[in-house]
mmCIF file of all heavy atoms in Angstrom:
data_model
loop_
_atom_site.group_PDB
_atom_site.id
_atom_site.type_symbol
_atom_site.label_atom_id
_atom_site.label_comp_id
_atom_site.label_asym_id
_atom_site.label_seq_id
_atom_site.Cartn_x
_atom_site.Cartn_y
_atom_site.Cartn_z
ATOM 1 N N GLU A 84 -91.729 -2.182 -117.810
ATOM 2 C CA GLU A 84 -91.194 -3.243 -118.634
ATOM 3 C C GLU A 84 -89.685 -2.923 -118.650
ATOM 4 O O GLU A 84 -89.304 -1.809 -119.017
ATOM 5 C CB GLU A 84 -91.789 -3.244 -120.049
ATOM 6 C CG GLU A 84 -93.250 -3.660 -120.064
ATOM 7 C CD GLU A 84 -93.442 -5.152 -119.762
ATOM 8 O OE1 GLU A 84 -92.508 -5.927 -119.953
ATOM 9 O OE2 GLU A 84 -94.518 -5.474 -119.239
ATOM 10 N N SER A 85 -88.854 -3.921 -118.340
ATOM 11 C CA SER A 85 -87.455 -3.554 -118.030
ATOM 12 C C SER A 85 -86.399 -4.255 -118.925
ATOM 13 O O SER A 85 -85.242 -3.983 -118.760
ATOM 14 C CB SER A 85 -87.160 -3.869 -116.563
ATOM 15 O OG SER A 85 -87.191 -5.264 -116.371
ATOM 16 N N HIS A 86 -86.851 -5.163 -119.827
ATOM 17 C CA HIS A 86 -85.820 -5.933 -120.552
ATOM 18 C C HIS A 86 -85.616 -5.418 -121.972
ATOM 19 O O HIS A 86 -86.559 -5.451 -122.813
ATOM 20 C CB HIS A 86 -86.212 -7.411 -120.567
ATOM 21 C CG HIS A 86 -85.094 -8.286 -121.007
ATOM 22 N ND1 HIS A 86 -83.779 -8.043 -120.705
ATOM 23 C CD2 HIS A 86 -85.064 -9.417 -121.749
ATOM 24 C CE1 HIS A 86 -83.012 -9.001 -121.239
ATOM 25 N NE2 HIS A 86 -83.765 -9.822 -121.901
ATOM 26 N N VAL A 87 -84.420 -4.978 -122.248
ATOM 27 C CA VAL A 87 -84.064 -4.382 -123.562
ATOM 28 C C VAL A 87 -84.408 -5.312 -124.721
ATOM 29 O O VAL A 87 -84.999 -4.883 -125.721
ATOM 30 C CB VAL A 87 -82.562 -4.005 -123.575
ATOM 31 C CG1 VAL A 87 -82.123 -3.570 -124.980
ATOM 32 C CG2 VAL A 87 -82.258 -2.917 -122.549
ATOM 33 N N ASP A 88 -84.045 -6.586 -124.615
ATOM 34 C CA ASP A 88 -84.312 -7.513 -125.721
ATOM 35 C C ASP A 88 -85.791 -7.618 -126.047
ATOM 36 O O ASP A 88 -86.183 -7.683 -127.212
ATOM 37 C CB ASP A 88 -83.734 -8.900 -125.392
ATOM 38 C CG ASP A 88 -82.228 -8.908 -125.368
ATOM 39 O OD1 ASP A 88 -81.596 -8.179 -126.188
ATOM 40 O OD2 ASP A 88 -81.653 -9.616 -124.494
ATOM 41 N N GLY A 124 -85.280 5.682 -112.433
ATOM 42 C CA GLY A 124 -84.811 5.753 -113.807
ATOM 43 C C GLY A 124 -83.572 4.882 -114.025
ATOM 44 O O GLY A 124 -83.118 4.174 -113.123
ATOM 45 N N THR A 125 -83.015 5.005 -115.229
ATOM 46 C CA THR A 125 -81.905 4.132 -115.601
ATOM 47 C C THR A 125 -80.806 4.972 -116.278
ATOM 48 O O THR A 125 -81.065 5.970 -116.910
ATOM 49 C CB THR A 125 -82.377 3.034 -116.570
ATOM 50 O OG1 THR A 125 -81.223 2.359 -117.086
ATOM 51 C CG2 THR A 125 -83.169 3.583 -117.751
ATOM 52 N N ASP A 126 -79.548 4.488 -116.178
ATOM 53 C CA ASP A 126 -78.461 5.147 -116.832
ATOM 54 C C ASP A 126 -78.527 5.001 -118.360
ATOM 55 O O ASP A 126 -77.851 5.723 -119.088
ATOM 56 C CB ASP A 126 -77.091 4.647 -116.317
ATOM 57 C CG ASP A 126 -76.869 3.163 -116.589
ATOM 58 O OD1 ASP A 126 -77.777 2.455 -117.078
ATOM 59 O OD2 ASP A 126 -75.757 2.683 -116.285
ATOM 60 N N GLU A 127 -79.386 4.080 -118.835
ATOM 61 C CA GLU A 127 -79.497 3.875 -120.297
ATOM 62 C C GLU A 127 -80.033 5.109 -121.013
ATOM 63 O O GLU A 127 -79.922 5.196 -122.228
ATOM 64 C CB GLU A 127 -80.385 2.663 -120.600
ATOM 65 C CG GLU A 127 -79.773 1.367 -120.053
ATOM 66 C CD GLU A 127 -80.300 0.101 -120.701
ATOM 67 O OE1 GLU A 127 -80.965 0.166 -121.740
ATOM 68 O OE2 GLU A 127 -80.008 -0.966 -120.172
ATOM 69 N N TYR A 153 -86.738 0.412 -125.079
ATOM 70 C CA TYR A 153 -86.800 0.483 -123.618
ATOM 71 C C TYR A 153 -86.196 1.789 -123.127
ATOM 72 O O TYR A 153 -86.821 2.536 -122.357
ATOM 73 C CB TYR A 153 -86.010 -0.725 -122.998
ATOM 74 C CG TYR A 153 -85.672 -0.507 -121.545
ATOM 75 C CD1 TYR A 153 -86.660 -0.507 -120.553
ATOM 76 C CD2 TYR A 153 -84.353 -0.243 -121.142
ATOM 77 C CE1 TYR A 153 -86.371 -0.280 -119.202
ATOM 78 C CE2 TYR A 153 -84.050 -0.030 -119.783
ATOM 79 C CZ TYR A 153 -85.059 -0.043 -118.840
ATOM 80 O OH TYR A 153 -84.746 0.184 -117.502
ATOM 81 N N LYS A 157 -87.930 5.023 -121.163
ATOM 82 C CA LYS A 157 -87.523 5.543 -119.845
ATOM 83 C C LYS A 157 -87.066 7.019 -119.932
ATOM 84 O O LYS A 157 -87.342 7.806 -119.014
ATOM 85 C CB LYS A 157 -86.346 4.696 -119.304
ATOM 86 C CG LYS A 157 -86.737 3.249 -118.963
ATOM 87 C CD LYS A 157 -87.713 3.101 -117.774
ATOM 88 C CE LYS A 157 -87.065 3.422 -116.433
ATOM 89 N NZ LYS A 157 -88.002 3.164 -115.321
ATOM 90 N N CYS A 180 -79.878 4.686 -112.215
ATOM 91 C CA CYS A 180 -78.898 3.705 -111.682
ATOM 92 C C CYS A 180 -78.317 2.858 -112.830
ATOM 93 O O CYS A 180 -78.894 2.695 -113.891
ATOM 94 C CB CYS A 180 -79.618 2.800 -110.687
ATOM 95 S SG CYS A 180 -78.485 1.778 -109.757
ATOM 96 N N SER A 181 -77.142 2.329 -112.570
ATOM 97 C CA SER A 181 -76.501 1.384 -113.472
ATOM 98 C C SER A 181 -77.072 -0.008 -113.253
ATOM 99 O O SER A 181 -77.977 -0.208 -112.482
ATOM 100 C CB SER A 181 -74.997 1.411 -113.228
ATOM 101 O OG SER A 181 -74.737 1.005 -111.882
ATOM 102 N N ASN A 182 -76.489 -0.986 -113.924
ATOM 103 C CA ASN A 182 -77.004 -2.383 -113.864
ATOM 104 C C ASN A 182 -76.965 -2.939 -112.457
ATOM 105 O O ASN A 182 -75.922 -2.941 -111.789
ATOM 106 C CB ASN A 182 -76.148 -3.321 -114.747
ATOM 107 C CG ASN A 182 -76.367 -3.064 -116.211
ATOM 108 O OD1 ASN A 182 -76.132 -1.974 -116.726
ATOM 109 N ND2 ASN A 182 -76.843 -4.078 -116.902
ATOM 110 N N ASN A 183 -78.106 -3.481 -112.028
ATOM 111 C CA ASN A 183 -78.237 -4.098 -110.717
ATOM 112 C C ASN A 183 -78.062 -5.614 -110.818
ATOM 113 O O ASN A 183 -78.376 -6.227 -111.852
ATOM 114 C CB ASN A 183 -79.602 -3.881 -110.118
ATOM 115 C CG ASN A 183 -79.827 -2.486 -109.550
ATOM 116 O OD1 ASN A 183 -80.506 -2.301 -108.576
ATOM 117 N ND2 ASN A 183 -79.192 -1.471 -110.157
ATOM 118 N N GLN A 188 -83.655 -11.595 -109.198
ATOM 119 C CA GLN A 188 -83.667 -11.053 -110.559
ATOM 120 C C GLN A 188 -84.135 -12.075 -111.556
ATOM 121 O O GLN A 188 -83.684 -13.236 -111.528
ATOM 122 C CB GLN A 188 -82.259 -10.525 -110.962
ATOM 123 C CG GLN A 188 -82.283 -9.739 -112.271
ATOM 124 C CD GLN A 188 -80.997 -8.990 -112.561
ATOM 125 O OE1 GLN A 188 -79.932 -9.397 -112.091
ATOM 126 N NE2 GLN A 188 -81.106 -7.889 -113.283
ATOM 127 N N GLU A 191 -83.889 -13.670 -117.211
ATOM 128 C CA GLU A 191 -83.707 -13.232 -118.618
ATOM 129 C C GLU A 191 -82.550 -12.244 -118.704
ATOM 130 O O GLU A 191 -82.021 -11.968 -119.770
ATOM 131 C CB GLU A 191 -84.986 -12.554 -119.125
ATOM 132 C CG GLU A 191 -85.281 -11.252 -118.385
ATOM 133 C CD GLU A 191 -86.600 -10.619 -118.706
ATOM 134 O OE1 GLU A 191 -87.290 -11.027 -119.674
ATOM 135 O OE2 GLU A 191 -86.976 -9.645 -118.032
ATOM 136 N N LYS A 192 -82.130 -11.714 -117.528
ATOM 137 C CA LYS A 192 -81.056 -10.723 -117.508
ATOM 138 C C LYS A 192 -79.709 -11.478 -117.372
ATOM 139 O O LYS A 192 -79.660 -12.634 -116.920
ATOM 140 C CB LYS A 192 -81.242 -9.777 -116.289
ATOM 141 C CG LYS A 192 -82.646 -9.124 -116.247
ATOM 142 C CD LYS A 192 -82.796 -7.966 -117.223
ATOM 143 C CE LYS A 192 -84.245 -7.539 -117.452
ATOM 144 N NZ LYS A 192 -85.040 -7.191 -116.305
ATOM 145 N N LEU A 193 -78.630 -10.785 -117.748
ATOM 146 C CA LEU A 193 -77.353 -11.470 -117.936
ATOM 147 C C LEU A 193 -76.941 -12.373 -116.773
ATOM 148 O O LEU A 193 -76.706 -13.588 -116.945
ATOM 149 C CB LEU A 193 -76.239 -10.443 -118.161
ATOM 150 C CG LEU A 193 -74.837 -11.078 -118.360
ATOM 151 C CD1 LEU A 193 -74.708 -11.683 -119.757
ATOM 152 C CD2 LEU A 193 -73.723 -10.060 -118.153
ATOM 153 N N ILE A 194 -76.862 -11.823 -115.539
ATOM 154 C CA ILE A 194 -76.243 -12.605 -114.436
ATOM 155 C C ILE A 194 -77.088 -13.803 -114.064
ATOM 156 O O ILE A 194 -76.574 -14.941 -114.045
ATOM 157 C CB ILE A 194 -75.883 -11.655 -113.264
ATOM 158 C CG1 ILE A 194 -74.662 -10.833 -113.697
ATOM 159 C CG2 ILE A 194 -75.614 -12.431 -111.979
ATOM 160 C CD1 ILE A 194 -74.102 -9.867 -112.684
ATOM 161 N N LEU A 196 -79.302 -15.375 -115.799
ATOM 162 C CA LEU A 196 -79.409 -16.301 -116.933
ATOM 163 C C LEU A 196 -78.140 -17.170 -117.024
ATOM 164 O O LEU A 196 -78.179 -18.394 -117.222
ATOM 165 C CB LEU A 196 -79.648 -15.505 -118.229
ATOM 166 C CG LEU A 196 -79.894 -16.335 -119.500
ATOM 167 C CD1 LEU A 196 -80.936 -15.688 -120.380
ATOM 168 C CD2 LEU A 196 -78.633 -16.576 -120.328
ATOM 169 N N MET A 197 -76.983 -16.487 -116.843
ATOM 170 C CA MET A 197 -75.729 -17.259 -116.941
ATOM 171 C C MET A 197 -75.536 -18.208 -115.754
ATOM 172 O O MET A 197 -75.022 -19.299 -115.917
ATOM 173 C CB MET A 197 -74.528 -16.259 -117.030
ATOM 174 C CG MET A 197 -74.574 -15.375 -118.274
ATOM 175 S SD MET A 197 -74.484 -16.368 -119.797
ATOM 176 C CE MET A 197 -74.795 -15.081 -121.026
ATOM 177 N N PRO A 208 -74.859 -17.906 -123.688
ATOM 178 C CA PRO A 208 -74.923 -17.128 -124.932
ATOM 179 C C PRO A 208 -74.444 -15.688 -124.734
ATOM 180 O O PRO A 208 -75.171 -14.826 -124.249
ATOM 181 C CB PRO A 208 -76.417 -17.145 -125.276
ATOM 182 C CG PRO A 208 -77.105 -17.302 -123.970
ATOM 183 C CD PRO A 208 -76.172 -18.031 -123.036
ATOM 184 N N VAL A 209 -73.198 -15.423 -125.164
ATOM 185 C CA VAL A 209 -72.634 -14.050 -125.021
ATOM 186 C C VAL A 209 -72.863 -13.327 -126.344
ATOM 187 O O VAL A 209 -72.465 -13.804 -127.423
ATOM 188 C CB VAL A 209 -71.127 -14.118 -124.694
ATOM 189 C CG1 VAL A 209 -70.519 -12.752 -124.728
ATOM 190 C CG2 VAL A 209 -70.934 -14.772 -123.324
ATOM 191 N N TYR A 210 -73.507 -12.128 -126.246
ATOM 192 C CA TYR A 210 -73.845 -11.384 -127.476
ATOM 193 C C TYR A 210 -72.555 -10.767 -128.075
ATOM 194 O O TYR A 210 -71.713 -10.157 -127.332
ATOM 195 C CB TYR A 210 -74.793 -10.231 -127.175
ATOM 196 C CG TYR A 210 -76.151 -10.614 -126.639
ATOM 197 C CD1 TYR A 210 -76.977 -9.636 -126.094
ATOM 198 C CD2 TYR A 210 -76.629 -11.910 -126.672
ATOM 199 C CE1 TYR A 210 -78.249 -9.948 -125.583
ATOM 200 C CE2 TYR A 210 -77.889 -12.238 -126.181
ATOM 201 C CZ TYR A 210 -78.686 -11.266 -125.626
ATOM 202 O OH TYR A 210 -79.933 -11.562 -125.124
ATOM 203 N N GLY A 211 -72.439 -10.813 -129.423
ATOM 204 C CA GLY A 211 -71.308 -10.148 -130.063
ATOM 205 C C GLY A 211 -69.973 -10.693 -129.621
ATOM 206 O O GLY A 211 -69.755 -11.900 -129.520
ATOM 207 N N GLY A 213 -68.634 -9.890 -126.571
ATOM 208 C CA GLY A 213 -68.576 -9.963 -125.096
ATOM 209 C C GLY A 213 -67.772 -8.814 -124.496
ATOM 210 O O GLY A 213 -67.516 -8.771 -123.298
ATOM 211 N N ASN A 215 -68.682 -5.618 -124.474
ATOM 212 C CA ASN A 215 -69.528 -4.522 -123.953
ATOM 213 C C ASN A 215 -69.379 -4.460 -122.432
ATOM 214 O O ASN A 215 -69.290 -5.490 -121.775
ATOM 215 C CB ASN A 215 -71.021 -4.784 -124.318
ATOM 216 C CG ASN A 215 -71.179 -4.958 -125.822
ATOM 217 O OD1 ASN A 215 -70.594 -5.857 -126.394
ATOM 218 N ND2 ASN A 215 -71.941 -4.076 -126.446
ATOM 219 N N VAL A 216 -69.389 -3.220 -121.969
ATOM 220 C CA VAL A 216 -69.128 -3.012 -120.529
ATOM 221 C C VAL A 216 -70.385 -2.511 -119.809
ATOM 222 O O VAL A 216 -71.075 -1.625 -120.321
ATOM 223 C CB VAL A 216 -67.973 -1.971 -120.368
ATOM 224 C CG1 VAL A 216 -67.866 -1.516 -118.905
ATOM 225 C CG2 VAL A 216 -66.652 -2.569 -120.825
ATOM 226 N N ARG A 217 -70.642 -3.092 -118.642
ATOM 227 C CA ARG A 217 -71.721 -2.608 -117.776
ATOM 228 C C ARG A 217 -71.130 -2.281 -116.412
ATOM 229 O O ARG A 217 -70.108 -2.845 -116.007
ATOM 230 C CB ARG A 217 -72.817 -3.670 -117.616
ATOM 231 C CG ARG A 217 -73.560 -4.012 -118.966
ATOM 232 C CD ARG A 217 -74.363 -2.835 -119.426
ATOM 233 N NE ARG A 217 -75.135 -3.052 -120.654
ATOM 234 C CZ ARG A 217 -74.680 -2.735 -121.869
ATOM 235 N NH1 ARG A 217 -73.469 -2.237 -122.053
ATOM 236 N NH2 ARG A 217 -75.459 -2.914 -122.930
ATOM 237 N N TRP A 219 -71.723 -2.573 -112.645
ATOM 238 C CA TRP A 219 -72.607 -3.399 -111.836
ATOM 239 C C TRP A 219 -72.738 -2.884 -110.395
ATOM 240 O O TRP A 219 -71.740 -2.535 -109.767
ATOM 241 C CB TRP A 219 -72.098 -4.838 -111.812
ATOM 242 C CG TRP A 219 -72.246 -5.438 -113.146
ATOM 243 C CD1 TRP A 219 -71.266 -5.593 -114.127
ATOM 244 C CD2 TRP A 219 -73.447 -5.987 -113.746
ATOM 245 N NE1 TRP A 219 -71.800 -6.163 -115.258
ATOM 246 C CE2 TRP A 219 -73.120 -6.422 -115.063
ATOM 247 C CE3 TRP A 219 -74.736 -6.181 -113.285
ATOM 248 C CZ2 TRP A 219 -74.059 -7.002 -115.902
ATOM 249 C CZ3 TRP A 219 -75.691 -6.735 -114.144
ATOM 250 C CH2 TRP A 219 -75.337 -7.163 -115.439
ATOM 251 N N ASN A 252 -68.838 -8.001 -120.347
ATOM 252 C CA ASN A 252 -69.726 -9.146 -120.152
ATOM 253 C C ASN A 252 -68.945 -10.449 -120.063
ATOM 254 O O ASN A 252 -69.296 -11.333 -119.269
ATOM 255 C CB ASN A 252 -70.704 -9.200 -121.355
ATOM 256 C CG ASN A 252 -71.668 -8.025 -121.338
ATOM 257 O OD1 ASN A 252 -71.873 -7.354 -120.298
ATOM 258 N ND2 ASN A 252 -72.233 -7.697 -122.492
ATOM 259 N N VAL A 273 -72.912 -15.495 -129.660
ATOM 260 C CA VAL A 273 -74.131 -15.539 -130.488
ATOM 261 C C VAL A 273 -74.297 -14.136 -131.146
ATOM 262 O O VAL A 273 -73.586 -13.203 -130.800
ATOM 263 C CB VAL A 273 -75.397 -15.904 -129.665
ATOM 264 C CG1 VAL A 273 -75.222 -17.283 -129.025
ATOM 265 C CG2 VAL A 273 -75.684 -14.845 -128.597
ATOM 266 N N ARG A 276 -76.970 -8.097 -130.019
ATOM 267 C CA ARG A 276 -78.212 -7.371 -129.798
ATOM 268 C C ARG A 276 -78.241 -6.225 -130.791
ATOM 269 O O ARG A 276 -77.214 -5.550 -131.000
ATOM 270 C CB ARG A 276 -78.212 -6.853 -128.360
ATOM 271 C CG ARG A 276 -79.356 -5.932 -127.987
ATOM 272 C CD ARG A 276 -79.239 -5.409 -126.560
ATOM 273 N NE ARG A 276 -79.715 -6.366 -125.566
ATOM 274 C CZ ARG A 276 -79.595 -6.211 -124.235
ATOM 275 N NH1 ARG A 276 -79.055 -5.093 -123.747
ATOM 276 N NH2 ARG A 276 -80.037 -7.108 -123.422
ATOM 277 N N HIS A 279 -76.811 -2.498 -129.838
ATOM 278 C CA HIS A 279 -76.185 -2.831 -128.542
ATOM 279 C C HIS A 279 -75.304 -1.712 -127.981
ATOM 280 O O HIS A 279 -74.284 -1.326 -128.592
ATOM 281 C CB HIS A 279 -75.336 -4.103 -128.753
ATOM 282 C CG HIS A 279 -75.014 -4.811 -127.470
ATOM 283 N ND1 HIS A 279 -74.378 -6.029 -127.448
ATOM 284 C CD2 HIS A 279 -75.230 -4.481 -126.179
ATOM 285 C CE1 HIS A 279 -74.225 -6.434 -126.219
ATOM 286 N NE2 HIS A 279 -74.711 -5.491 -125.422
ATOM 287 N N ASP A 280 -75.696 -1.178 -126.817
ATOM 288 C CA ASP A 280 -74.878 -0.132 -126.183
ATOM 289 C C ASP A 280 -73.502 -0.691 -125.781
ATOM 290 O O ASP A 280 -73.416 -1.798 -125.240
ATOM 291 C CB ASP A 280 -75.588 0.354 -124.904
ATOM 292 C CG ASP A 280 -76.688 1.385 -125.217
ATOM 293 O OD1 ASP A 280 -76.616 2.030 -126.279
ATOM 294 O OD2 ASP A 280 -77.609 1.518 -124.390
ATOM 295 N N LEU A 281 -72.461 0.110 -126.006
ATOM 296 C CA LEU A 281 -71.112 -0.358 -125.781
ATOM 297 C C LEU A 281 -70.708 -0.360 -124.335
ATOM 298 O O LEU A 281 -70.320 -1.380 -123.767
ATOM 299 C CB LEU A 281 -70.107 0.485 -126.608
ATOM 300 C CG LEU A 281 -70.232 0.355 -128.143
ATOM 301 C CD1 LEU A 281 -69.360 1.366 -128.808
ATOM 302 C CD2 LEU A 281 -69.828 -1.058 -128.561
ATOM 303 N N TYR A 283 -71.517 1.432 -120.268
ATOM 304 C CA TYR A 283 -72.172 2.309 -119.299
ATOM 305 C C TYR A 283 -71.209 2.518 -118.178
ATOM 306 O O TYR A 283 -70.533 1.571 -117.713
ATOM 307 C CB TYR A 283 -73.432 1.663 -118.714
ATOM 308 C CG TYR A 283 -74.518 1.247 -119.680
ATOM 309 C CD1 TYR A 283 -75.348 0.162 -119.396
ATOM 310 C CD2 TYR A 283 -74.748 1.945 -120.850
ATOM 311 C CE1 TYR A 283 -76.359 -0.223 -120.215
ATOM 312 C CE2 TYR A 283 -75.789 1.545 -121.708
ATOM 313 C CZ TYR A 283 -76.584 0.498 -121.389
ATOM 314 O OH TYR A 283 -77.601 0.080 -122.227
ATOM 315 N N TYR A 331 -89.995 -18.021 -124.562
ATOM 316 C CA TYR A 331 -89.186 -16.796 -124.738
ATOM 317 C C TYR A 331 -87.761 -17.169 -125.066
ATOM 318 O O TYR A 331 -87.148 -16.651 -126.011
ATOM 319 C CB TYR A 331 -89.215 -15.938 -123.452
ATOM 320 C CG TYR A 331 -88.129 -14.901 -123.408
ATOM 321 C CD1 TYR A 331 -88.255 -13.694 -124.089
ATOM 322 C CD2 TYR A 331 -86.946 -15.156 -122.717
ATOM 323 C CE1 TYR A 331 -87.248 -12.744 -124.079
ATOM 324 C CE2 TYR A 331 -85.916 -14.210 -122.687
ATOM 325 C CZ TYR A 331 -86.053 -13.022 -123.363
ATOM 326 O OH TYR A 331 -85.066 -12.104 -123.376
ATOM 327 N N TYR A 336 -83.085 -17.223 -128.421
ATOM 328 C CA TYR A 336 -81.754 -17.793 -128.557
ATOM 329 C C TYR A 336 -81.561 -18.876 -129.611
ATOM 330 O O TYR A 336 -80.419 -19.093 -130.035
ATOM 331 C CB TYR A 336 -81.296 -18.312 -127.175
ATOM 332 C CG TYR A 336 -81.069 -17.222 -126.162
ATOM 333 C CD1 TYR A 336 -82.100 -16.862 -125.271
ATOM 334 C CD2 TYR A 336 -79.902 -16.468 -126.140
ATOM 335 C CE1 TYR A 336 -81.913 -15.829 -124.373
ATOM 336 C CE2 TYR A 336 -79.727 -15.433 -125.246
ATOM 337 C CZ TYR A 336 -80.734 -15.120 -124.358
ATOM 338 O OH TYR A 336 -80.557 -14.068 -123.473
ATOM 339 N N ARG A 339 -79.733 -18.056 -133.216
ATOM 340 C CA ARG A 339 -79.231 -16.670 -133.045
ATOM 341 C C ARG A 339 -77.822 -16.584 -133.641
ATOM 342 O O ARG A 339 -76.975 -17.405 -133.340
ATOM 343 C CB ARG A 339 -79.185 -16.316 -131.562
ATOM 344 C CG ARG A 339 -78.772 -14.877 -131.354
ATOM 345 C CD ARG A 339 -79.120 -14.369 -130.006
ATOM 346 N NE ARG A 339 -78.819 -12.965 -129.973
ATOM 347 C CZ ARG A 339 -79.484 -12.054 -129.264
ATOM 348 N NH1 ARG A 339 -80.481 -12.398 -128.532
ATOM 349 N NH2 ARG A 339 -79.117 -10.789 -129.308
HETATM 350 O O1 DAU B 2 -78.134 -0.026 -117.015
HETATM 351 C C1 DAU B 2 -79.368 -0.266 -116.407
HETATM 352 C C2 DAU B 2 -80.163 -1.285 -117.181
HETATM 353 O O2 DAU B 2 -79.525 -2.526 -117.008
HETATM 354 C C3 DAU B 2 -81.621 -1.326 -116.761
HETATM 355 O O3 DAU B 2 -82.234 -0.119 -117.024
HETATM 356 C C4 DAU B 2 -82.342 -2.481 -117.458
HETATM 357 O O4 DAU B 2 -83.657 -2.589 -116.959
HETATM 358 C C5 DAU B 2 -81.598 -3.778 -117.177
HETATM 359 O O5 DAU B 2 -82.212 -4.831 -117.874
HETATM 360 C C6 DAU B 2 -80.132 -3.610 -117.622
HETATM 361 O O6 DAU B 2 -80.046 -3.543 -119.070
HETATM 362 P P1 DAU B 2 -78.927 -4.335 -119.899
HETATM 363 O O7 DAU B 2 -79.397 -4.425 -121.268
HETATM 364 O O8 DAU B 2 -77.553 -3.753 -119.651
HETATM 365 O O9 DAU B 2 -79.000 -5.735 -119.100
HETATM 366 P P2 DAU B 2 -78.980 -7.240 -119.610
HETATM 367 O O10 DAU B 2 -78.848 -8.100 -118.403
HETATM 368 O O11 DAU B 2 -80.094 -7.529 -120.565
HETATM 369 O O12 DAU B 2 -77.612 -7.329 -120.414
HETATM 370 C C7 DAU B 2 -76.370 -7.001 -119.835
HETATM 371 C C8 DAU B 2 -75.289 -7.135 -120.909
HETATM 372 O O13 DAU B 2 -75.156 -8.558 -121.219
HETATM 373 C C9 DAU B 2 -75.657 -6.475 -122.214
HETATM 374 O O14 DAU B 2 -74.437 -5.955 -122.798
HETATM 375 C C10 DAU B 2 -76.173 -7.619 -123.108
HETATM 376 C C11 DAU B 2 -75.411 -8.801 -122.628
HETATM 377 N N1 DAU B 2 -76.097 -10.093 -122.689
HETATM 378 C C12 DAU B 2 -77.345 -10.191 -122.129
HETATM 379 C C13 DAU B 2 -78.035 -11.410 -122.156
HETATM 380 C C14 DAU B 2 -79.415 -11.499 -121.544
HETATM 381 C C15 DAU B 2 -75.476 -11.223 -123.284
HETATM 382 O O15 DAU B 2 -74.359 -11.121 -123.776
HETATM 383 N N2 DAU B 2 -76.183 -12.383 -123.324
HETATM 384 C C16 DAU B 2 -77.406 -12.512 -122.805
HETATM 385 O O16 DAU B 2 -78.001 -13.643 -122.894
#
Side-chain angles (χ1 to χ4, degrees):
E84 289 293 333
S85 67
H86 192 36
V87 172
D88 291 323
T125 170
D126 62 355
E127 297 200 11
Y153 163 70
K157 293 293 288 185
C180 191
S181 60
N182 287 62
N183 282 214
Q188 189 167 28
E191 64 187 351
K192 308 281 165 55
L193 180 76
I194 288 182
L196 186 142
M197 296 299 172
V209 173
Y210 298 167
N215 304 61
V216 169
R217 296 293 182 266
W219 293 97
N252 294 338
V273 300
R276 173 183 280 174
H279 198 173
D280 280 337
L281 293 172
Y283 302 150
Y331 164 81
Y336 292 96
R339 185 161 187 150

